[in-house]
């Protein structure tokens, strides 16, 4: 008996070249680039017209005004510019109250509130909703700070920051946790997104097979298992090309942007808990198992479809299903171990995405040594089931695989 | 398992959705022969072939393919042209042939070389780099046929290989089948055209309604009918009339009857003595068509005739 492996390679090679030479391959290659490009563009646009925060006019005497501005400066020094509303000086007119109302009603002024009065009797004009919101609360803080300053003006030695002895550590668990959550999410997204793209290609490939009626030639020569496995291998090969190309471009982009950084700029330490080399390896492994598991599921379901329309109808729920498993896998990021998390690790359709997140946030290796064989077992099982279902319903009793209407030739009756 | 038979099947049964398509088929194909499966459309030929090749499993019964009980184990030594032809449209002819060989375990580079030779030998060298989708149906079928034999199988199985081909390609196919058989390959093909089976096959199985009605040599099928005598006489009547067998029928002045068991001599003597005046006297061996009518029945014979006519119309 010839080896299944050898037969799979024959199928895989054909599918691989057919896919790479097809027009849709270009689309496949540029889709992720478009997505990334779009994300970057949105970020750039957002940062260029960045909202500078709400603005409050101060219509008051010079002394109060300076006290407020100085108080704000002190507060901002300890926090961040964007943590407090900007202050805009306006010279007071005769009737300050109505001036304030006029200012705030003016469409051109883009003011959120207007301060008038003095530190002893501060008045804030503005709609009711600012009271328990950013503008109202932060203005209160500024006013309080100014009042305190004035009281302490003689006693305090001025605005010295507290002297703190620094005991410098290598890192901090709290920060690390945040970074690792990010790495975990990133890995999951990559795996999910790539699989989504590939699975769609796999389906269109199967449609082709059926409509060309090549399947009988294949089924007469090699085991169905080998056909299904070969198809999965081919798409995996395609994805490797994609990964190589996109990865190369990402590396180039990263190298470039490091060059562009000002001297002394230090890269933030973003490393997965398990360390980069093993992480990258695991990323590749889990991408493969995730793709193989979902791909064989797709083949099993797609193999049952009897028409292109039916196949497209199936595509939708299957994609939703995939998104469901993605969401399930998301629960393991940062969370504690509960029922959902265990489910995410064990259910084969979410296990790879959950495990890659685990690699991002935990340095323990042995769970991976359990998870990988477990997932591989499911790949094997799903291929067997898909092939058996195909044999039973399509080849055996379902009989004719009719995708296109048959023109010209008579049908057997 | 003896190697005398390339295929042996016993009591194959298969039903689809509760309807029996094949009801107990026995077949034995001697190694090195050209074997025909003859029957009208819907008789169960394709289903039988698919079971023999292991594409579908029989509900009951056993078969061996080149001695293997699991047909796929013989895959490297078998070539198969399905009734529903199928090739990848964007593949080039040479690649398509080599790919089909590769499916059967032939290395791709060897397959390509042999594809070139096959194309050259048949005057189709220009087609080497043409994609399948640019070919006519008959030409694509010829390419698929090359792909079926490129790995030089011991057994070639062709399901309705002649349908869809014009006269030239049919002739080419006939020659190819003969050449393959001459080099020791076993060829088995199905057809609903009696004369293809008659011209090519040493042995046939006549299938109708999912059952084998006859299995054996073509000559044996013919021998089941007595030779036919055709007689035309000058005299319309006379004492010689008594010498004609009881079943003799007169149509347009031509007598037709089975050759009597006593042979033709007593009859000739009676005709001469009775002054009948023999204008025409012929003794004909029956054709496979006549045998088919006798074996499969009038209904099947009428259907197979209709199938053939439908083919001609489709080709026109
Ligand atoms: N896959 C199938 N599903 C359902 N019925 C089928 C299938 N294949 C064949 N049949 C039925 O079985 C019978 C025999 O068909 P087939 O083997 O194709 O005959 P032939 O090849 O002699 O024309 C027909 O009645 C046909 O409709
Ligand atoms: Mg048929």
């Amino acid at each position: 008996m010839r080896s299944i492996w050898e037969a799979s390679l024959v199928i895989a090679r054909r599918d691989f070249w057919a896919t790479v030479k097809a027009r849709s391959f270009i689309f496949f290659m540029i889709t992720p680039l478009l997505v990334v490009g779009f994300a970057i563009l949105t970020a750039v646009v957002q940062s260029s017209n960045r909202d500078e925060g709400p603005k409050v006019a101060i219509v008051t005497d010079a002394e109060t005004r300076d006290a407020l501005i100085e108080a704000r400066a002190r507060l901002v020094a300890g926090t961040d510019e964007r943590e407090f509303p900007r202050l805009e000086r306006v010279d007071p007119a005769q009737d300050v109250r109505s001036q304030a109302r006029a200012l705030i009603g003016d469409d051109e002024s883009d003011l959120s509130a207007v301060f008038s009065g003095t530190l002893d009797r501060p008045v804030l004009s503005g709609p009711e909703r600012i009271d328990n919101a950013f503008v109202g609360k932060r203005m209160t803080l500024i006013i309080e700070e100014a009042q305190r300053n004035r009281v302490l003006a003689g006693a305090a030695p001025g605005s010295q920051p507290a002297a703190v002895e620094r005991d410098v550590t290598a890192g901090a668990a709290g920060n690390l946790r945040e970074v690792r959550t990010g790495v975990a999410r990133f890995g999951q997204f990559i795996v999910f997104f790539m699989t989504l793209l590939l699975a769609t290609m796999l389906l269109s490939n199967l449609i082709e097979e059926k409509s060309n009626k090549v399947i009988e030639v294949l089924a007469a020569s090699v085991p169905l298992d080998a056909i299904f496995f070969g198809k999965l291998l081919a798409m995996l090969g395609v994805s490797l090309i994609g990964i190589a190309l996109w990865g190369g471009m990402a590396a180039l982009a990263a190298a470039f942007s490091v060059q562009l950084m000002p001297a002394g700029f230090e890269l933030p330490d973003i490393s997965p808990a398990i360390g980069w080399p093993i992480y990258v390896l695991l990323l590749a492994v889990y991408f493969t198992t995730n793709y193989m598991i979902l791909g064989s599921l797709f083949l099993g379901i797609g193999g049952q479809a009897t028409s292109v329309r039916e196949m497209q109808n199936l595509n939708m729920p299957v994609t939703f299903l995939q998104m469901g498993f993605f969401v399930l896998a998301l629960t393991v990021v940062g969370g504690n171990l509960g029922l959902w998390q265990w489910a995410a690790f064990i259910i084969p359709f979410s296990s790879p995405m959950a495990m890659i997140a685990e690699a991002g946030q935990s340095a323990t290796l042995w769970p991976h040594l359990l998870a990988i064989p477990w997932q591989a077992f499911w790949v094997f099982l799903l291929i067997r089931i898909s092939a058996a279902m195909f044999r039973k319903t399509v080849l055996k009793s379902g009989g004719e695989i009719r995708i296109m209407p048959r023109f010209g030739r008579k049908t057997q009756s | 398992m003896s190697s005398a038979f390339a295929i042996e099947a016993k009591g194959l049964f298969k039903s689809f959705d509760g309807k029996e398509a094949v009801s107990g088929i026995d077949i034995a194909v001697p190694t090195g022969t050209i074997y025909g499966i003859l029957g009208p459309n819907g008789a169960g030929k394709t289903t039988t072939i698919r079971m023999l090749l292991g594409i579908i499993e029989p509900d009951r019964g056993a078969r061996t393919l080149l001695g293997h009980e699991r047909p796929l184990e013989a895959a490297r030594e078998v070539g198969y042209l399905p009734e529903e032809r199928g090739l990848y449209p964007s593949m080039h002819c040479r690649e398509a042939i080599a790919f089909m060989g590769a499916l059967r375990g032939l290395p791709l580079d060897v397959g390509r070389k042999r594809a070139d030779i096959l194309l050259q030998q048949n005057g189709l060298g220009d087609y080497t780099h043409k994609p399948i989708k640019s070919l006519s149906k008959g030409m694509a079928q010829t390419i698929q046929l090359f792909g079926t034999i490129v790995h030089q199988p011991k057994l070639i199985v062709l399901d309705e290989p002649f349908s869809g081909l014009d006269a030239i390609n049919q002739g080419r196919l006939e020659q190819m089948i003969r050449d393959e058989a001459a080099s020791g390959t076993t060829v088995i093909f199905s057809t609903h055209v009696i004369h293809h089976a008659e011209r090519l096959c040493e042995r046939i199985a006549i299938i109708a309604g999912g059952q084998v009605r006859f299995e054996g040599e073509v000559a044996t099928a013919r021998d089941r009918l007595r030779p036919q005598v055709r007689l035309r006489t000058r005299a319309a009547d006379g004492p010689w009339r008594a010498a004609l067998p009881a079943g003799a029928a007169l149509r347009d002045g031509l007598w037709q009857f089975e050759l009597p068991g006593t042979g033709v001599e007593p009859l000739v003597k009676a005709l001469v003595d009775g002054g009948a005046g023999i204008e025409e006297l012929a003794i004909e061996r029956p054709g496979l068509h006549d045998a088919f009518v006798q074996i499969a029945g009038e209904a099947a014979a009428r259907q197979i005739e209709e199938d053939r006519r439908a083919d001609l119309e489709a080709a026109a």
Side-chain angles (χ1 to χ4, degrees):
Chain A
M1 171 128 192
R2 57 188 303 205
S3 77
I4 293 223
W5 175 246
E6 191 189 336
S8 303
L9 283 183
V10 173
I11 303 280
R13 188 163 35 205
R14 204 296 310 184
D15 277 13
F16 176 80
W17 285 114
T19 307
V20 169
K21 285 181 188 161
R23 216 167 294 141
S24 60
F25 182 64
I26 301 174
F27 179 71
F28 166 72
M29 290 303 276
I30 61 174
T31 303
L33 297 183
L34 284 182
V35 169
V36 171
F38 184 73
I40 291 176
L41 200 71
T42 331
V44 166
V45 168
Q46 255 177 5
S47 69
S48 72
N49 63 0
R50 185 205 300 224
D51 189 9
E52 289 173 306
K55 200 159 66 174
V56 175
I58 25 184
V59 190
T60 180
D61 57 279
E63 190 188 340
T64 310
R65 187 185 68 203
D66 291 345
L68 284 175
I69 287 173
E70 200 209 321
R72 181 181 183 279
R74 284 171 55 92
L75 288 170
V76 163
T79 53
D80 186 87
E81 179 65 37
R82 286 160 58 84
E83 292 298 320
F84 291 89
R86 287 169 296 145
L87 302 181
E88 186 177 278
R89 314 160 192 206
V90 176
D91 291 328
Q94 203 69 33
D95 180 0
V96 176
R97 275 290 169 95
S98 41
Q99 183 193 9
R101 279 176 168 264
L103 275 172
I104 213 157
D106 181 4
D107 277 346
E108 302 278 288
S109 74
D110 69 6
L111 290 168
S112 299
V114 175
F115 176 94
S116 54
T118 62
L119 283 186
D120 296 323
R121 290 197 55 200
V123 178
L124 198 62
S125 311
E128 191 176 354
R129 66 181 152 77
I130 66 171
D131 289 349
N132 275 312
F134 180 81
V135 173
K137 285 178 167 174
R138 299 292 154 95
M139 275 313 290
T140 314
L141 268 183
I142 293 176
I143 294 163
E144 277 172 11
E145 177 73 12
Q147 289 170 340
R148 206 175 299 128
N149 253 357
R150 193 181 53 179
V151 174
L152 295 175
S159 46
Q160 295 281 325
V164 177
E165 184 194 350
R166 282 289 287 114
D167 174 18
V168 180
T169 61
N175 292 347
L176 214 53
R177 192 192 180 95
E178 215 168 281
V179 167
R180 288 186 174 163
T181 302
V183 173
R185 288 242 157 82
F186 168 79
Q188 284 186 317
F189 184 74
I190 294 274
V191 167
F192 167 72
F193 184 71
M194 291 279 302
T195 308
L196 202 65
L197 272 178
L198 282 170
T200 312
M201 295 225 300
L202 198 65
L203 267 191
S204 56
N205 194 284
L206 199 66
I207 293 177
E208 190 207 4
E209 206 92 307
K210 283 190 163 188
S211 56
N212 293 334
K213 299 172 187 149
V214 186
I215 193 77
E216 186 162 353
V217 176
L218 302 184
S221 327
V222 301
L224 271 181
D225 293 344
I227 298 176
F228 279 34
F229 188 60
K231 293 196 161 305
L232 287 171
L233 274 187
M235 288 304 125
L236 196 64
V238 168
S239 73
L240 289 184
I241 291 198
I243 290 174
L245 183 91
W246 304 320
M249 290 179 79
L252 266 180
F256 245 116
S257 46
V258 167
Q259 292 283 304
L260 291 179
M261 288 301 163
F265 173 85
E266 265 184 59
L267 276 175
D269 175 27
I270 30 173
S271 58
I274 210 153
W276 274 116
I278 296 182
Y279 183 78
V280 169
L281 194 71
L282 286 176
L283 193 63
V285 169
Y286 287 128
F287 165 69
T288 306
T289 54
N290 190 53
Y291 164 69
M292 296 288 254
I293 286 173
L294 284 162
S296 47
L297 181 73
F298 266 46
L299 279 179
I301 296 174
Q304 300 299 304
T306 51
S307 67
V308 177
R309 161 101 29 109
E310 218 176 297
M311 197 99 79
Q312 283 161 344
N313 288 346
L314 282 172
N315 200 356
M316 183 91 125
V318 169
T319 305
F320 276 128
L321 207 69
Q322 210 176 339
M323 274 150 84
F325 289 120
F326 178 56
V327 171
L328 181 62
L330 283 179
T331 62
V332 306
V333 176
N336 299 320
L337 266 186
L339 193 64
W340 286 110
Q341 284 72 23
W342 276 112
F345 284 127
I346 290 170
I347 292 175
F349 303 106
S350 56
S351 180
M353 288 185 286
M355 287 309 294
I356 193 61
E358 189 61 15
Q361 56 192 0
S362 155
T364 324
L365 193 61
W366 66 262
H368 301 286
L369 302 181
L370 285 184
I372 293 170
W374 168 246
Q375 292 163 14
F377 164 73
W378 274 91
V379 172
F380 171 79
L381 200 67
L382 283 166
I383 290 179
R384 293 300 304 222
I385 293 173
S386 297
M389 271 179 17
F390 191 82
R391 188 190 298 282
K392 191 164 173 60
T393 64
V394 183
L395 289 181
K396 211 178 231 170
S397 58
E400 309 214 339
I401 312 157
R402 222 179 284 158
I403 302 280
M404 308 290 193
R406 264 199 282 184
F407 301 111
R409 289 195 48 181
K410 67 205 177 317
T411 55
Q412 33 183 242
S413 59
Chain B
M1 192 66 242
S2 76
S3 63
F5 294 104
I7 294 178
E8 272 192 288
K10 279 227 155 41
L12 294 183
F13 278 84
K14 183 75 198 174
S15 29
F16 296 110
D17 315 317
K19 198 174 137 263
E20 229 166 53
V22 168
S23 330
I25 278 192
D26 299 339
I27 276 184
V29 180
T31 302
T33 55
I34 303 178
Y35 191 99
I37 299 180
L38 178 62
N41 278 333
K45 302 183 296 295
T46 298
T47 306
T48 302
I49 287 175
R50 285 181 173 160
M51 285 191 286
L52 295 177
L53 293 175
I55 297 167
I56 58 178
E57 289 298 310
D59 298 339
R60 258 183 298 147
R63 81 288 203 207
T64 59
L65 188 67
L66 296 174
H68 294 274
E69 277 174 24
R70 274 185 286 172
L72 271 185
E73 290 176 1
R76 275 172 189 261
E77 292 166 345
V78 177
Y80 170 48
L81 178 76
E83 183 176 24
E84 297 257 22
R85 325 285 189 231
L87 292 167
Y88 292 107
S90 54
M91 256 191 184
H92 292 185
C93 292
R94 174 209 264 167
E95 278 310 302
I97 296 170
F99 172 70
M100 287 176 64
L103 284 175
R104 304 282 187 176
L106 184 74
L108 268 180
D109 47 347
V110 179
R112 290 196 188 102
K113 280 196 200 107
R114 288 197 195 159
D116 287 347
I117 293 172
L118 277 169
L119 290 166
Q120 295 289 349
Q121 276 176 350
N122 288 278
L124 302 174
D126 295 347
Y127 285 88
T128 309
H129 294 294
K130 286 220 173 103
I132 299 293
K133 59 181 168 230
S134 70
L135 307 184
S136 72
K137 220 169 150 184
M139 194 51 82
Q141 190 166 325
T142 301
I143 298 296
Q144 186 163 0
L145 197 65
F146 291 163
T148 305
I149 60 168
V150 67
H151 58 294
Q152 300 175 342
K154 282 189 190 159
L155 170 68
I156 299 175
V157 181
L158 311 168
D159 196 355
E160 304 273 3
F162 291 100
S163 69
L165 293 183
D166 58 20
I168 294 173
N169 279 311
Q170 286 196 355
R172 180 187 287 157
L173 174 61
E174 251 184 42
Q175 193 50 50
M176 217 165 86
I177 291 177
R178 284 185 217 277
D179 290 348
E180 289 291 338
S183 67
T185 311
T186 310
V187 181
I188 168 170
F189 70 91
S190 76
T191 182
H192 59 265
V193 180
I194 293 174
H195 92 102
H196 285 310
E198 188 165 22
R199 286 164 61 99
L200 280 168
C201 299
E202 291 143 66
R203 289 178 79 90
I204 54 168
I206 292 179
I207 298 187
Q211 284 176 327
V212 177
R213 303 296 174 85
F214 172 85
E215 211 261 8
E217 292 183 8
V218 174
T220 314
R222 287 209 201 99
D223 288 348
R224 291 174 66 152
L225 295 180
R226 300 283 303 152
Q228 295 285 313
V229 180
R230 280 206 328 247
L231 169 72
R232 198 187 295 277
T233 55
R234 227 177 350 254
D237 208 349
W240 49 270
R241 282 276 297 269
L244 299 185
L250 182 65
R251 208 177 288 149
D252 300 332
L254 190 71
W255 287 100
Q256 269 185 304
F257 48 88
E258 270 185 13
L259 182 67
T262 50
V264 78
E265 289 82 359
L267 174 65
V268 171
K269 188 170 188 301
L271 288 171
V272 173
D273 293 350
I278 303 172
E279 287 197 320
E280 185 182 336
L281 176 63
I283 305 174
E284 287 176 348
R285 266 179 76 82
L288 187 55
H289 185 272
D290 304 304
F292 186 90
V293 175
Q294 208 236 346
I295 291 165
E298 286 286 345
R302 224 174 299 121
Q303 202 201 326
I304 209 167
E305 195 50 40
E306 276 166 26
D307 292 343
R308 194 177 63 86
R309 228 172 279 133
D311 263 11
L312 291 178
E313 274 162 31

